[in-house]
Amino acid sequence: HSGVACHLIKPDGVLRNLTAEVINRFTRKGFKLVGLKMVTPSKEHLEKHYADLSSKGFFASLIEYMQSGPVVAMVWEGDNAVKTGRVMLGATHPKDSAPGTLRADFAIDIGRNCFHGSDSVESAKAEIALWFPEGVNSYKHPL
Ligand code: CMP
């Protein structure tokens, strides 16, 4: 494989039962799920995850939103996992995301956009280390 990406189903996505939809889309596309967990992240954990946004006016509300319930964290493996994952998630603001993408199909509000995806290979690495410090489960398909 030539890539891994870390994606999150945010609390609003979990509450709206979108977990299966997301896993189904990425699996059908051909990506391999090598990390999966449900967590209720601490404030400190989220401040690390969103460290690059700490100067933004919406930072506090973003952290609060991300703590409003459990989050599903996933690691997907496959060619161009980050780039293709971003295409499948759609633009951050649901008003700009293309029809058929997850955010276009399931979200309206940028502050409640249901999903997070790694935005670069470097941030994917950092996010996997943060959300899966125990490591992921790489395996070969028997076929
Ligand atoms: P995400 O892909 O998790 O990356 C950063 C997050 O910040 C983004 O999705 C949104 O949830 C949030 N965000 C970005 N811009 C804004 C904004 N203008 N107002 C509120 N939240 C925002």
Side-chain angles (χ1 to χ4, degrees):
H1 76 92
S2 67
V4 275
C6 186
H7 300 316
L8 305 177
I9 305 172
K10 299 182 179 185
D12 52 333
V14 174
L15 287 174
R16 291 175 53 209
N17 290 319
L18 297 175
T19 302
E21 174 77 24
V22 174
I23 293 176
N24 196 22
R25 287 191 184 201
F26 278 87
T27 303
R28 282 187 305 177
K29 176 73 174 168
F31 289 111
K32 189 161 53 160
L33 187 60
V34 297
L36 176 68
K37 62 162 76 161
M38 181 178 272
V39 280
T40 304
S42 69
K43 191 164 176 279
E44 292 68 32
H45 181 94
L46 292 165
E47 285 171 350
K48 281 184 200 157
H49 176 76
Y50 283 127
D52 55 326
L53 299 177
S54 60
S55 63
K56 302 281 187 191
F58 58 80
F59 188 67
S61 65
L62 174 61
I63 301 297
E64 188 181 355
Y65 152 55
M66 289 296 290
Q67 280 200 285
S68 62
V71 167
V72 173
M74 301 164 290
V75 179
W76 290 96
E77 189 180 280
D79 286 349
N80 299 301
V82 169
K83 201 169 178 193
T84 303
R86 286 172 69 73
V87 172
M88 292 169 69
L89 287 166
T92 303
H93 201 312
K95 78 175 162 51
D96 301 320
S97 44
T101 63
L102 282 160
R103 286 173 178 143
D105 289 354
F106 298 110
I108 297 171
D109 184 346
I110 190 163
R112 291 281 182 279
N113 64 355
C114 290
F115 316 106
H116 167 81
S118 305
D119 65 2
S120 67
V121 170
E122 298 71 46
S123 64
K125 244 181 131 175
E127 290 171 5
I128 292 166
L130 179 66
W131 291 88
F132 294 87
E134 69 281 17
V136 296
N137 309 268
S138 209
Y139 53 89
K140 271 195 168 44
H141 278 298
L143 306 176

